[in-house]
Amino acid sequence: MRFLILVSGLLLLFSSCEKPHESKPKVIVNKSLAADFKVPEEIFTEIKKSMGPDSKIEPEYLFTDLEVQIHSNQKNVLSDPDLLFKLTNGGGGLDLKDYVTGEGSFYLHFPKEQFTTKPELLFVFYISDSPKVNIRGEEYGLGCGQWVDLKPKFTKLQEKNFLKLNTVDQTYAHVLSGQYIFVFKKGIQYYLTHLNLSDSRYSDKMCSRIFNIKNN
């Protein structure tokens, strides 16, 4: 009897030392062909420069897939606490209106596991679709059509709890809205994929809608 009590006690001890089970995210797959997207000429110039100043060869462009994930530690902020989006055929668009359904904070990242099987990541260009706005004394948005290479900081964007966003005054929409263009390199082949992030509920505050109004 003492032996049985001892064994059961050890089992209880070991079970209490186990790491808590982490639930798997809800996976949403977008298999549709990515819509055409505009890329500033300066970005192609940067890609060409990466081939070397004396290169006479034109780069070959191919498409690859992309994964992006959002999650929240708070209840009712997202339609599901953990969402993983798989964008095939060169990437695609993600309208957050269907997934950011409540008030609070959430996180966005690009899972690092997906990059282990891809060629070398050369650039991560972000092209902003948000004007610069001042909300509660802080500036949000990079500015219409402004772009930046996120590659130097991209390791951080692969961490699950690095990029914290908030729904108050729709600040997350100004931080995220725009295109993310990934460029991978293997020889003279350049693999492209993109994510067009938006929230159509607030499109009237974004550059693309503002430009359309001016053109009309």
Side-chain angles (χ1 to χ4, degrees):
M1 180 63 68
R2 289 180 180 178
F3 176 74
L4 291 176
I5 294 174
L6 177 62
V7 171
S8 62
L10 287 173
L11 289 174
L12 180 61
L13 175 63
F14 285 130
S15 62
S16 64
C17 292
E18 289 179 358
K19 294 181 179 179
H21 177 68
E22 187 172 337
S23 60
K24 293 183 179 180
K26 179 180 179 180
V27 178
I28 299 174
V29 181
N30 181 0
K31 294 183 179 180
S32 60
L33 290 174
D36 292 339
F37 58 99
K38 296 180 180 179
V39 179
E41 186 176 347
E42 296 92 338
I43 288 180
F44 285 109
T45 301
E46 291 297 316
I47 293 175
K48 183 66 175 176
K49 284 181 181 178
S50 71
M51 301 185 75
D54 301 322
S55 176
K56 304 297 182 184
I57 303 173
E58 289 299 318
E60 296 179 13
Y61 293 107
L62 303 168
F63 291 107
T64 186
D65 58 329
L66 183 66
E67 294 181 6
V68 60
Q69 190 169 350
I70 58 174
H71 80 281
S72 178
N73 298 324
Q74 301 173 3
K75 291 183 178 180
N76 304 319
V77 177
L78 303 177
S79 60
D80 194 273
D82 201 350
L83 294 159
L84 175 63
F85 301 91
K86 295 190 175 186
L87 308 173
T88 61
N89 300 310
L94 174 54
D95 189 344
L96 293 175
K97 77 175 180 65
D98 299 320
Y99 308 105
V100 180
T101 54
E103 298 294 328
S105 298
F106 66 98
Y107 298 85
L108 178 144
H109 76 289
F110 298 91
K112 61 183 179 181
E113 294 81 9
Q114 65 182 305
F115 302 108
T116 59
T117 57
K118 293 187 183 299
E120 174 194 2
L121 179 61
L122 194 62
F123 300 112
V124 182
F125 295 112
Y126 167 63
I127 308 170
S128 173
D129 188 41
S130 172
K132 291 183 179 181
V133 295
N134 191 288
I135 300 174
R136 303 188 308 278
E138 293 188 34
E139 189 175 82
Y140 295 86
L142 191 61
C144 294
Q146 297 298 308
W147 62 273
V148 64
D149 182 11
L150 298 176
K151 172 66 186 307
K153 298 181 179 180
F154 190 63
T155 300
K156 288 291 186 182
L157 290 174
Q158 297 176 63
E159 296 178 6
K160 190 169 184 179
N161 295 315
F162 171 70
L163 184 57
K164 187 175 183 179
L165 303 147
N166 200 281
T167 64
V168 176
D169 296 324
Q170 300 89 49
T171 54
Y172 73 95
H174 291 285
V175 172
L176 296 177
S177 292
Q179 291 191 43
Y180 301 76
I181 301 174
F182 291 72
V183 183
F184 304 89
K185 184 179 186 296
K186 183 178 181 181
I188 64 169
Q189 293 180 326
Y190 289 79
Y191 293 81
L192 304 180
T193 188
H194 84 292
L195 168 66
N196 188 6
L197 259 179
S198 65
D199 191 318
S200 59
R201 291 171 293 188
Y202 315 115
S203 59
D204 59 324
K205 300 178 181 180
M206 299 301 155
C207 303
S208 52
R209 179 63 63 86
I210 293 171
F211 288 152
N212 288 337
I213 293 174
K214 288 182 177 179
N215 290 336
N216 293 334

